[in-house]
Amino acid sequence: MTNTPNTLRRALTVAAVAVLGLGTTLASHAQAWPTKPIRIVVGFAPGGTTDVLARLMAQNLTDTLGQTVVIDNKPGASGNIAAAEVARAAPDGYTFLIAPTSVETANPSLFKSTLLPSRDLTPVAGIGKTQMYLVTKPQLAAKDVHELVAMAKAQPGKMSYASSGAGTPPHLACELFKQATGTDIVHIPYRGAAPALQDVLSGQADFVCDPGIAFPHIRTGKVKLLGVVSEKRSPFFPDVPTVGEQGFKGANLDIWFGMWSPNGTPPEVIARVTRDLAKALAIPSVKSRYGDLGAEATAVDTADFKALLANEGKVLSTLIREQKITVD
């Protein structure tokens, strides 16, 4: 059959109409989202920092998206159970994960699991952080990090630090401190940051890398704050130098929190959620509530969040391997 100019024109017209129709359908679908409630899965129990931050974001997303955003707590395995559930969910924009970045940057080096978040989940955005604070028991003689390090080196293996559990960010922060200072200090793991801090308050452990729950005790002098285990000084204690400023580079680890989605979630949905999260984090009342938790309401867009995850993953996987850290 010979294609005449008229036949070709008709064929091209039909094809163009089809493409335009497809584009219109996709655009309409994107504009229609969301049409039903959205679920945010949290890998920790209600009441903890991750859960509280997730509920703040859910409340604000409910307002901006016009659909109910519900929290579904699935605690266990340092967030791995929740992450695996989100990885299996349909990529339709109705399921997200909120977790500390350690679920991607530390857990794969600590747990035997088929889940690999860097492969099985898509980063959406960072939603804030807490810094960590080197807090000692009140009766410890050291007045700064130099004196603490000198004491530890004078009695290798005799001093101890508490943590919220093996493989948790406070544990890893204290291991970075040991690595940076060349000290031999015994690790005492607990089931959570609160009991770890309690044993520092009672003098059972010498210090802790605290994620911010010690603020009331620091302000009343029940514990001593010697330094911030971070690259930057804390906005809550601006006169307290970082461990790095006191001469020990490399002892810094913030606890970042972020959101992930199932792979294949429409990019326009991710872009919308990222914008709305940033707007929520700029609200004064949200910033204030973060501050109550010792956290900073810092928005991180998708590209920068991916870079943050990659950098933190390199640091923590190396630390875990070199220090032979396990969760057993």
Side-chain angles (χ1 to χ4, degrees), residues 192-271:
L197 176 61
Q198 184 56 48
D199 263 18
V200 172
L201 282 162
S202 66
Q204 298 301 306
D206 292 303
F207 69 92
V208 64
C209 290
D210 177 78
I213 67 170
F215 283 10
H217 304 297
I218 294 170
R219 289 172 177 140
T220 58
K222 291 182 179 179
V223 292
K224 294 194 293 186
L225 173 58
L226 300 192
V228 185
V229 192
S230 178
E231 287 186 357
K232 297 180 180 179
R233 293 193 182 197
S234 167
F236 304 105
F237 300 96
D239 295 332
V240 178
T242 67
V243 173
E245 286 179 307
Q246 296 183 60
F248 303 101
K249 303 295 183 184
N252 52 73
L253 181 65
D254 297 330
I255 304 178
W256 280 95
F257 300 87
M259 177 181 278
W260 289 257
S261 68
N263 288 342
T265 299
E268 60 272 16
V269 169
I270 290 176

Side-chain angles (χ1 to χ4, degrees), residues 41 43 74 79-88 97 99 103 115 117 120-121:
V41 185
K74 298 284 184 181
N80 278 357
I81 291 174
E85 175 149 335
V86 173
R88 292 191 298 266
L97 170 73
V103 75
L115 173 74
D120 301 327
L121 291 166

Side-chain angles (χ1 to χ4, degrees), residues 147-158:
E147 292 186 5
L148 174 63
V149 171
M151 290 175 62
K153 288 187 173 181
Q155 43 185 337
K158 299 297 183 182

Side-chain angles (χ1 to χ4, degrees), residues 168-179:
T168 61
H171 173 207
L172 299 178
C174 280
E175 286 298 315
L176 284 170
F177 174 80
K178 284 172 55 180
Q179 192 176 67

